[in-house]
Amino acid sequence: MRVSKEQAAENRRRIVEVAGTLFRARGVNGIGVADLMKEAGLTHGGFYGHFASKDDLAAEACASVMAKTAQRWGTFADGTGTPDDRLAAIAGFYLSAAHRDAPASGCPIATLGIDAARQDGPVRRAFTEGLRPFLEVLGRLVPGRSKAAQREKALATLSAMVGAVILARAVDDPALSDDILAAVKARITAS
């Protein structure tokens, strides 16, 4: 039975959405195509009608979740208050226990970054291109005497936030995990 173009597009969108969630939760290599398709409510055999390979899906899912997350950051950045207030809002959300405890729906930089480093061209390219809007958002909010100084500060801020979430998720001491998030949030909002 053939599906309509609209249904095929909806199936593809669903596969990409489910993959974005599962790859953040389990890693790209932590779930197979059959299980991923089952989670999407589709058959394993249909996968190759949408994607040439799992790597192609990983690249598209990475690009999709990064774009959606960067858009949310943009909403924070375009909000009310001073640039410092808006940066504090981003840091407050990002460096929270709720974000730490929800990797499947959280920032893909902290969950897919390690996977992207181990992947070939398309996934790394999608990750690299997906990272740029985050830096643009932070570059609009951090102080600096020049565009180069703002870019450097944006790179350092993003790296500190992502690193803090990765460490906070990795440790088995809840108090230390909370302290990591709080320390980086305090450093970002103080500067």
Side-chain angles (χ1 to χ4, degrees):
M1 182 173 147
R2 293 187 54 85
V3 297
S4 68
K5 286 183 181 181
E6 293 80 15
Q7 185 60 53
E10 172 58 23
N11 289 348
R12 183 183 180 97
R13 185 205 59 76
R14 187 172 21 182
I15 295 165
V16 170
E17 183 178 308
V18 168
T21 299
L22 293 174
F23 289 161
R24 284 181 285 172
R26 301 181 193 173
V28 173
N29 294 324
I31 186 158
V33 170
D35 289 334
L36 194 149
M37 292 297 284
K38 183 178 180 183
E39 287 287 326
L42 300 165
T43 64
H44 176 253
F47 177 83
Y48 292 100
H50 295 282
F51 302 96
S53 68
K54 185 178 171 188
D55 287 344
D56 287 345
L57 170 58
E60 190 169 327
C62 179
S64 177
V65 296
M66 290 189 74
K68 287 176 185 173
T69 305
Q71 186 176 21
R72 284 194 300 262
W73 278 41
T75 301
F76 277 116
D78 295 336
T80 59
T82 67
D84 287 344
D85 294 337
R86 291 176 277 163
L87 178 60
I90 290 172
F93 168 76
Y94 197 89
L95 298 166
S96 69
H99 180 239
R100 175 199 59 209
D101 297 342
S105 61
C107 179
I109 299 171
T111 55
L112 297 177
I114 293 168
D115 277 336
R118 295 180 179 135
Q119 300 296 315
D120 290 327
V123 175
R124 289 185 82 171
R125 193 169 16 269
F127 188 86
T128 301
E129 292 308 312
L131 189 68
R132 295 181 197 285
F134 292 90
L135 295 170
E136 290 170 12
V137 166
L138 291 175
R140 295 191 328 246
L141 300 178
V142 296
R145 296 179 189 257
S146 67
K147 289 286 185 193
Q150 285 177 295
R151 184 173 191 282
E152 181 179 295
K153 179 104 182 202
L155 285 164
T157 301
L158 182 60
S159 298
M161 289 176 22
V162 170
V165 169
I166 291 170
L167 290 174
R169 287 177 176 160
V171 300
D172 69 352
D173 178 345
L176 176 59
S177 180
D178 289 341
D179 289 347
I180 291 167
L181 296 175
V184 174
K185 183 167 44 175
R187 179 64 63 165
I188 289 170
T189 57
S191 58

PDB file of all heavy atoms in Angstrom, residues 18-31:
ATOM      1  N   VAL A  18      11.648  11.602  16.637  1.00  0.00           N
ATOM      2  CA  VAL A  18      11.929  10.493  17.559  1.00  0.00           C
ATOM      3  C   VAL A  18      13.439  10.267  17.651  1.00  0.00           C
ATOM      4  O   VAL A  18      13.974  10.075  18.745  1.00  0.00           O
ATOM      5  CB  VAL A  18      11.184   9.212  17.123  1.00  0.00           C
ATOM      6  CG1 VAL A  18      11.684   7.988  17.865  1.00  0.00           C
ATOM      7  CG2 VAL A  18       9.687   9.385  17.332  1.00  0.00           C
ATOM      8  N   ALA A  19      14.125  10.321  16.522  1.00  0.00           N
ATOM      9  CA  ALA A  19      15.579  10.133  16.534  1.00  0.00           C
ATOM     10  C   ALA A  19      16.257  11.227  17.348  1.00  0.00           C
ATOM     11  O   ALA A  19      17.187  10.949  18.117  1.00  0.00           O
ATOM     12  CB  ALA A  19      16.123  10.122  15.105  1.00  0.00           C
ATOM     13  N   GLY A  20      15.798  12.462  17.211  1.00  0.00           N
ATOM     14  CA  GLY A  20      16.390  13.554  17.989  1.00  0.00           C
ATOM     15  C   GLY A  20      16.271  13.320  19.480  1.00  0.00           C
ATOM     16  O   GLY A  20      17.210  13.582  20.242  1.00  0.00           O
ATOM     17  N   THR A  21      15.139  12.797  19.896  1.00  0.00           N
ATOM     18  CA  THR A  21      14.943  12.495  21.313  1.00  0.00           C
ATOM     19  C   THR A  21      15.785  11.296  21.745  1.00  0.00           C
ATOM     20  O   THR A  21      16.493  11.357  22.761  1.00  0.00           O
ATOM     21  CB  THR A  21      13.451  12.206  21.586  1.00  0.00           C
ATOM     22  OG1 THR A  21      12.696  13.370  21.254  1.00  0.00           O
ATOM     23  CG2 THR A  21      13.214  11.843  23.041  1.00  0.00           C
ATOM     24  N   LEU A  22      15.716  10.212  20.986  1.00  0.00           N
ATOM     25  CA  LEU A  22      16.434   8.995  21.372  1.00  0.00           C
ATOM     26  C   LEU A  22      17.951   9.156  21.282  1.00  0.00           C
ATOM     27  O   LEU A  22      18.678   8.628  22.124  1.00  0.00           O
ATOM     28  CB  LEU A  22      15.975   7.814  20.519  1.00  0.00           C
ATOM     29  CG  LEU A  22      14.530   7.378  20.760  1.00  0.00           C
ATOM     30  CD1 LEU A  22      14.118   6.297  19.770  1.00  0.00           C
ATOM     31  CD2 LEU A  22      14.348   6.889  22.186  1.00  0.00           C
ATOM     32  N   PHE A  23      18.435   9.878  20.286  1.00  0.00           N
ATOM     33  CA  PHE A  23      19.881  10.091  20.182  1.00  0.00           C
ATOM     34  C   PHE A  23      20.375  10.929  21.355  1.00  0.00           C
ATOM     35  O   PHE A  23      21.467  10.702  21.872  1.00  0.00           O
ATOM     36  CB  PHE A  23      20.251  10.764  18.862  1.00  0.00           C
ATOM     37  CG  PHE A  23      20.101   9.897  17.642  1.00  0.00           C
ATOM     38  CD1 PHE A  23      20.010  10.466  16.390  1.00  0.00           C
ATOM     39  CD2 PHE A  23      20.047   8.513  17.731  1.00  0.00           C
ATOM     40  CE1 PHE A  23      19.876   9.683  15.244  1.00  0.00           C
ATOM     41  CE2 PHE A  23      19.909   7.714  16.598  1.00  0.00           C
ATOM     42  CZ  PHE A  23      19.827   8.309  15.353  1.00  0.00           C
ATOM     43  N   ARG A  24      19.579  11.899  21.806  1.00  0.00           N
ATOM     44  CA  ARG A  24      19.991  12.681  22.980  1.00  0.00           C
ATOM     45  C   ARG A  24      19.943  11.831  24.238  1.00  0.00           C
ATOM     46  O   ARG A  24      20.783  11.972  25.122  1.00  0.00           O
ATOM     47  CB  ARG A  24      19.095  13.910  23.145  1.00  0.00           C
ATOM     48  CG  ARG A  24      19.432  15.004  22.149  1.00  0.00           C
ATOM     49  CD  ARG A  24      18.572  16.217  22.318  1.00  0.00           C
ATOM     50  NE  ARG A  24      17.240  15.937  21.793  1.00  0.00           N
ATOM     51  CZ  ARG A  24      16.198  16.743  21.933  1.00  0.00           C
ATOM     52  NH1 ARG A  24      16.301  17.874  22.603  1.00  0.00           N
ATOM     53  NH2 ARG A  24      15.028  16.417  21.413  1.00  0.00           N
ATOM     54  N   ALA A  25      18.978  10.932  24.318  1.00  0.00           N
ATOM     55  CA  ALA A  25      18.838  10.093  25.513  1.00  0.00           C
ATOM     56  C   ALA A  25      19.863   8.973  25.565  1.00  0.00           C
ATOM     57  O   ALA A  25      20.414   8.675  26.631  1.00  0.00           O
ATOM     58  CB  ALA A  25      17.437   9.496  25.569  1.00  0.00           C
ATOM     59  N   ARG A  26      20.137   8.334  24.425  1.00  0.00           N
ATOM     60  CA  ARG A  26      20.952   7.118  24.415  1.00  0.00           C
ATOM     61  C   ARG A  26      22.238   7.223  23.609  1.00  0.00           C
ATOM     62  O   ARG A  26      23.058   6.306  23.636  1.00  0.00           O
ATOM     63  CB  ARG A  26      20.144   5.957  23.833  1.00  0.00           C
ATOM     64  CG  ARG A  26      18.881   5.660  24.598  1.00  0.00           C
ATOM     65  CD  ARG A  26      18.165   4.490  23.971  1.00  0.00           C
ATOM     66  NE  ARG A  26      16.811   4.362  24.482  1.00  0.00           N
ATOM     67  CZ  ARG A  26      15.933   3.519  24.008  1.00  0.00           C
ATOM     68  NH1 ARG A  26      16.239   2.715  23.015  1.00  0.00           N
ATOM     69  NH2 ARG A  26      14.720   3.468  24.512  1.00  0.00           N
ATOM     70  N   GLY A  27      22.396   8.278  22.840  1.00  0.00           N
ATOM     71  CA  GLY A  27      23.532   8.392  21.950  1.00  0.00           C
ATOM     72  C   GLY A  27      23.194   7.802  20.591  1.00  0.00           C
ATOM     73  O   GLY A  27      22.300   6.954  20.468  1.00  0.00           O
ATOM     74  N   VAL A  28      23.898   8.250  19.578  1.00  0.00           N
ATOM     75  CA  VAL A  28      23.638   7.787  18.217  1.00  0.00           C
ATOM     76  C   VAL A  28      23.843   6.284  18.101  1.00  0.00           C
ATOM     77  O   VAL A  28      23.067   5.577  17.456  1.00  0.00           O
ATOM     78  CB  VAL A  28      24.514   8.542  17.196  1.00  0.00           C
ATOM     79  CG1 VAL A  28      24.380   7.954  15.803  1.00  0.00           C
ATOM     80  CG2 VAL A  28      24.149  10.030  17.184  1.00  0.00           C
ATOM     81  N   ASN A  29      24.864   5.769  18.757  1.00  0.00           N
ATOM     82  CA  ASN A  29      25.134   4.340  18.687  1.00  0.00           C
ATOM     83  C   ASN A  29      24.381   3.539  19.749  1.00  0.00           C
ATOM     84  O   ASN A  29      24.501   2.327  19.809  1.00  0.00           O
ATOM     85  CB  ASN A  29      26.633   4.068  18.782  1.00  0.00           C
ATOM     86  CG  ASN A  29      27.369   4.625  17.582  1.00  0.00           C
ATOM     87  OD1 ASN A  29      26.857   4.612  16.461  1.00  0.00           O
ATOM     88  ND2 ASN A  29      28.571   5.134  17.810  1.00  0.00           N
ATOM     89  N   GLY A  30      23.596   4.212  20.568  1.00  0.00           N
ATOM     90  CA  GLY A  30      22.870   3.549  21.647  1.00  0.00           C
ATOM     91  C   GLY A  30      21.513   3.003  21.254  1.00  0.00           C
ATOM     92  O   GLY A  30      20.818   2.422  22.085  1.00  0.00           O
ATOM     93  N   ILE A  31      21.126   3.211  20.013  1.00  0.00           N
ATOM     94  CA  ILE A  31      19.845   2.673  19.540  1.00  0.00           C
ATOM     95  C   ILE A  31      19.989   2.291  18.072  1.00  0.00           C
ATOM     96  O   ILE A  31      20.629   3.002  17.296  1.00  0.00           O
ATOM     97  CB  ILE A  31      18.687   3.678  19.743  1.00  0.00           C
ATOM     98  CG1 ILE A  31      17.357   3.019  19.364  1.00  0.00           C
ATOM     99  CG2 ILE A  31      18.916   4.962  18.981  1.00  0.00           C
ATOM    100  CD1 ILE A  31      16.152   3.663  19.982  1.00  0.00           C
TER     101      ILE A  31
END
